[in-house]
């Protein structure tokens, strides 16, 4: 009995011993496999607990004007982040004698914020390992906060966009959000080109989360591309200043102005009112964001009459000496009547533009094939987007009818029944100033002349520009005159369209023109919306702005004044003086 009683005990001992030996062999084998055969696994696991990967921010590309002046640059800043999860872990860590509440109190003092507000944020994000505390602050502010030495609080580098021209170029350049993504203007339209490619680097952290040293860079960052615009900041400042002064003086609702290089199609200035400061958007209103020169549409009125005259001369039915009888000073189409200010009687094309005769323009258009004026406007880019790539760019409206009613042809001839943007109208006048040769409009600097298309015969364009000179010398555009330069242009005063039709006490004042008239270099359009002062005509409100801005632009660009009529320029070799004046055609 005694021997038999010991047998089960021995069996149990051997069983337990065997199981323990088996477990030891399995554990040993696994350890051997991980440390010898698959040692990378343990290394990766160790790195996961000690090595962290951090994104290296890339600098966003600069936006420059045509002379290399910065319009948008990125400046380095610091962002303070926290790990609420690490901070609250102090409650369960017996090795430290620090309470999370004490850390939060010290952090609140360093940040200059209320303790209760900050503690509520930490409690709300208790289980998160990442939370922004302050973004894009100065190095001194960052050092003050980091000096508090709060567990789980670190700083990272970010870049903040700065706009040196502020509100002067805001509608062209636009702005980015806090994450450096384009929101308006060039910043939005060319966001992909401007944004850089961030890099990655690894660094080693100790048990308390502090960085010991960097391990290495896995991927280098690449800065974004710089973009060089066609804008000349000198002209941009000049146009902005004068447009803002006009809006203030005439108590206008809004305004826009565009300057184009006649030969290259480059936009040298594009300004709007109201504007905004992209460096301080704390009180930004939506209406201030509108790039009105590209987005807002209006009926161009009498500024389209030079193109009606162009269509007539191109038809072969008319020449510069042809006269039109505008008597008795009005035209009736059923219940619809077109009127002139007075009965001008028999007038030629030049006087038609000087007096801005609606009846004369209508009679010309009605005598042409029904789509002649429409084709002229279409070839000049009316009704189609200019194509500079801006967000929300308007195409305008150039109505087309299978069969035209006479009143529709008539109103189209003097700029009603269609709509354009300031930029579209500037493009049309640019073509006229370029001797009828239309080149693409560009917001980027053009190093090589762009191929275009002859849409108005050269001589016709020169004849029409000559007629527009008389508008400035003798007609409603006298306020657009510039000492030493000959100016060609056309005024326009348009009734605004309201909810119930035309508002006869609200106007749009326009002036469009080119200079110097003998060989145009610049085209400019000024649009002032709803001037509420005593003056509201285009010749009173918009033409003076044109004169001041164009004079400054021509002198800034060193454009020679026009030679007197009957004289021509002859270059000397070697060139000792700018030109020699001789008589002759």
């Amino acid at each position: 009995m005694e021997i038999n009683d010991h047998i089960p005990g021995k069996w149990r001992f051997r069983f337990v011993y065997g199981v323990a030996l088996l477990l030891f062999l399995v554990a040993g084998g696994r350890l051997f496999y991980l440390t010898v055969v698959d040692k990378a696994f343990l290394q990766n696991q160790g790195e996961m607990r000690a090595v962290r990967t951090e994104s290296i921010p890339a600098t966003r590309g600069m936006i420059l004007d045509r002379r290399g002046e910065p319009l948008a640059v990125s400046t380095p800043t610091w962002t303070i982040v926290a790990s609420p999860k690490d901070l609250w872990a102090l409650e369960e860590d017996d090795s430290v004698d620090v309470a999370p509440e004490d850390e939060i109190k010290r952090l609140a003092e360093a940040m200059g914020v209320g303790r209760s507000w900050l503690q509520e944020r930490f409690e709300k994000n208790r289980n998160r390992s990442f939370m922004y505390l302050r973004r894009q602050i100065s190095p001194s502010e960052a050092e003050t906060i980091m000096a508090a030495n709060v567990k789980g609080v670190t700083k990272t580098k970010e870049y903040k966009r700065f706009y040196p021209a502020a509100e002067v170029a805001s509608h062209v350049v636009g702005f980015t959000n806090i994450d450096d993504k384009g929101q308006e203007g060039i910043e939005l339209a060319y966001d992909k080109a401007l944004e850089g490619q961030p890099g990655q680097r690894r660094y080693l952290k100790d048990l308390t989360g502090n960085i010991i040293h960097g391990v290495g860079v896995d991927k280098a960052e690449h800065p974004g591309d710089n973009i060089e615009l066609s804008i000349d900041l000198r002209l941009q400042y000049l146009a902005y200043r004068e447009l803002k002064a006009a809006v203030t003086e005439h108590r206008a609702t809004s305004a826009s102005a565009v300057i184009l290089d006649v030969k290259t199609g480059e936009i040298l200035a594009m300004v709007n009112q109201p504007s905004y400061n992209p460096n301080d958007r704390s009180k930004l209103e939506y209406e201030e964001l509108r790039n009105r020169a590209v987005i807002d549409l209006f009926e161009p009125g009498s500024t389209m009459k030079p193109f009606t005259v162009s269509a007539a001369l191109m038809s072969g039915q008319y020449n510069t000496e042809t006269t039109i009888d505008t008597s008795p000073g009005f035209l009736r189409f059923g219940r619809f009547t077109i009127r002139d200010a007075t009965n001008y009687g028999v007038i030629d094309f030049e006087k038609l533009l000087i007096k801005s005769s609606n009846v004369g323009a209508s009679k010309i258009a009605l005598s042409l094939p029904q789509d002649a004026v429409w084709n002229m406007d279409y070839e000049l880019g009316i009704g189609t987007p200019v194509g500079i790539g801006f967000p929300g760019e308007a195409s305008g409206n150039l109505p087309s009818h299978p069969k035209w009613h006479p009143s529709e042809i008539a109103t189209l001839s003097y700029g009603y029944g269609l709509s354009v943007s300031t930029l579209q109208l500037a493009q049309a006048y640019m073509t006229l100033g370029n001797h009828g040769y239309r080149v693409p409009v560009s917001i980027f600097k053009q190093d090589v002349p762009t191929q275009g298309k002859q849409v108005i015969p050269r001589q016709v364009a020169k004849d029409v520009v000559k007629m527009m000179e008389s508008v400035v010398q003798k007609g409603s555009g006298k306020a657009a005159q510039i000492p030493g330069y000959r100016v060609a242009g056309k005024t326009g005063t348009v009734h605004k369209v309201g909810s119930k039709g035309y508002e006869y006490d609200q106007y749009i004042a326009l002036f469009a023109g080119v200079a110097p008239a003998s060989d145009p270099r610049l085209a400019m359009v000024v649009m002032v919306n709803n001037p509420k002062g005593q003056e509201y005509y285009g010749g009173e409100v918009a033409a003076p702005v044109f004169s001041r801005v164009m004079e400054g632009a021509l002198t800034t660009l060193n454009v020679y004044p026009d030679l007197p009529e009957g004289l021509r320029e002859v270059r000397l070799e070697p060139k000792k003086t700018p030109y020699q004046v001789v008589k002759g055609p």
Side-chain angles (χ1 to χ4, degrees), residues 20 62 71 135-136 198 205-206 210 244 313 322 347 352 411 441 487-488 494 501 521 542 551 585:
M62 292 192 295
L71 300 175
R135 294 196 69 177
Q136 299 181 352
K205 297 180 72 174
D206 61 16
N210 296 316
K244 185 175 183 179
L313 295 175
T322 304
I347 58 175
L352 184 153
T411 53
V441 174
V487 175
V494 185
R521 168 73 188 279
E551 181 180 12

Side-chain angles (χ1 to χ4, degrees), residues 140-158:
S140 59
E141 290 178 285
E143 286 303 317
T144 300
I145 295 173
M146 294 306 299
N149 196 27
V150 176
K151 180 176 175 58
V153 175
T154 58
K155 66 176 182 178
T156 61
K157 181 181 284 188
E158 283 191 317

